[in-house]
Amino acid sequence: MNKLAYPRELRLLTPEHFSAVFQQPHRAGSPHLTILARDTALDHPRLGQAVPKKQIKLAVDRNRFKRVVRESFRLRQHQLPAKDFVVIAKKSANNLSNQALRDELDKLWQRLSRPPRKKRSSR
């Protein structure tokens, strides 16, 4: 049986970890949030979150958003590829219910779990 914990090893902790993801990431987005992903040498996925005050004003709402994202990641960690993920909140994410946010995250996790499409070369 897989452990569903969320230990320190599954988190992006330093600015260097975050900046590595921001350089040439795979993206999956919706009107409410964006998830950036980048391959890593580790054998497990890691999660980072960017929830700016400018997008979600109240601390209680930012904390709720982060809590739902962490829980979604924790439950799906064994199905996700070994990548570093950064979830970025948009203003409209504050209007979502917890269930709607979970559904949105599930769709984006699924999209990022597929192999990336090859870019077509322009002639």
Side-chain angles (χ1 to χ4, degrees):
M1 184 172 158
N2 292 330
K3 280 190 170 182
L4 293 178
Y6 185 60
R8 194 171 173 85
E9 303 89 58
L10 296 181
R11 300 178 199 163
L12 294 178
L13 299 171
T14 66
E16 291 81 28
H17 293 158
F18 278 86
S19 60
V21 177
F22 288 120
Q23 296 167 5
Q24 301 175 348
H26 303 123
R27 293 175 189 268
S30 76
H32 310 292
L33 57 117
T34 301
I35 302 179
L36 306 177
R38 177 111 191 228
D39 291 329
T40 181
L42 302 172
D43 62 346
H44 56 273
R46 295 190 301 176
L47 175 68
Q49 298 185 58
V51 189
K53 279 185 188 178
K54 190 172 187 177
Q55 302 300 332
I56 300 179
K57 301 273 187 243
L58 299 177
V60 66
D61 293 330
R62 288 192 303 277
N63 292 339
R64 177 187 69 89
F65 178 86
K66 291 190 283 189
R67 190 172 54 248
V68 172
V69 170
R70 270 194 311 268
E71 183 69 2
S72 173
F73 178 81
R74 185 183 73 80
L75 295 173
R76 280 197 158 254
Q77 65 185 325
H78 298 292
Q79 298 155 11
L80 293 172
K83 294 184 178 186
D84 289 344
F85 297 97
V86 176
V87 178
I88 304 171
K90 295 181 183 174
K91 223 172 220 143
S92 59
N94 196 25
N95 302 329
L96 293 176
S97 68
N98 288 356
Q99 186 57 50
L101 184 55
R102 272 190 227 97
D103 294 342
E104 196 79 30
L105 284 162
D106 284 343
K107 280 187 227 166
L108 296 176
W109 292 135
Q110 217 168 14
R111 201 179 313 160
L112 286 167
S113 294
R114 294 192 304 246
R117 292 187 298 196
K118 294 182 180 169
K119 292 184 180 180
R120 287 186 257 158
S121 61
S122 57
R123 294 182 193 193

